[in-house]
Amino acid sequence: MYMQGRGLRPGAVAVAVVVSLISLSSGCASGEHDDAGPPSGDGTKRPSASSGASARPAQASASSTPPASPSPEDTRPLKDGTAVLVSCASPQDPRATVKVSNPNTRDGSFTVKIGFLDARGVKMVESGGSVFVAAKETTTYRVRVTTAGVVDHIARCVVEPRAAWVGY
């Protein structure tokens, strides 16, 4: 014989949830019961001798100091860095070397652009990328010429002296 069970009705479950939420928000069952003993004459609670290690720490009151907000310097964009060519790419070493400096008091990433020119001064390839530099530091950045056959014709390299700040 088949019997249909009588489960909880959705309306009864909703009422139970609402009642429990109301009791939690009013302080019942939220840990705000009086563990600390009787109030003192000035209206504040004093810890009782029995409140040892199992006592809960006091919760922050509404008059607590708000968390510190970031200083204006932390929210401003960083200044651009500088890029200086150290060595150009050659058939012996197909990588150009650039020193990138960060003048800021915070770490940041900076864009470096390098042009590889032939003997007539024509830019054959331009390369570069984003370089992370710690605050007030200088980092060495090496860029490889990846275009086949170009490295044999490079006469000189030019670097954009302004290393634009791109983020963190």
Side-chain angles (χ1 to χ4, degrees):
M1 176 189 232
Y2 180 78
M3 295 185 69
Q4 185 173 8
R6 293 181 156 246
L8 290 175
R9 294 184 183 191
V13 173
V15 169
V17 170
V18 170
V19 169
S20 64
L21 289 175
I22 290 171
S23 66
L24 284 174
S25 68
S26 67
C28 297
S30 67
E32 293 183 16
H33 55 284
D34 190 1
D35 282 342
S40 65
D42 62 356
T44 59
K45 293 182 182 181
R46 301 275 188 237
S48 67
S50 66
S51 67
S54 65
R56 290 186 172 184
Q59 293 181 346
S61 66
S63 63
S64 295
T65 306
S69 59
S71 68
E73 182 178 315
D74 291 342
T75 59
R76 288 185 300 199
L78 298 179
K79 296 176 188 172
D80 290 340
T82 57
V84 177
L85 180 68
V86 174
S87 65
C88 191
S90 68
Q92 293 78 26
D93 184 7
R95 295 171 292 184
T97 304
V98 178
K99 294 274 187 183
V100 184
S101 297
N102 178 357
N104 301 288
T105 57
R106 295 180 314 194
D107 300 348
S109 292
F110 301 86
T111 299
V112 177
K113 293 181 182 176
I114 304 168
F116 299 96
L117 288 68
D118 66 10
R120 294 179 292 150
V122 175
K123 189 183 296 182
M124 298 183 302
V125 178
E126 184 170 82
S127 188
S130 180
V131 181
F132 177 81
V133 185
K136 299 286 185 183
E137 295 289 326
T138 299
T139 298
T140 301
Y141 177 61
R142 298 199 36 129
V143 179
R144 183 177 190 85
V145 177
T146 58
T147 307
V150 171
V151 74
D152 294 332
H153 302 287
I154 294 175
R156 66 186 182 107
C157 298
V158 291
V159 175
E160 173 67 39
R162 180 179 143 258
W165 173 72
V166 293
Y168 300 102

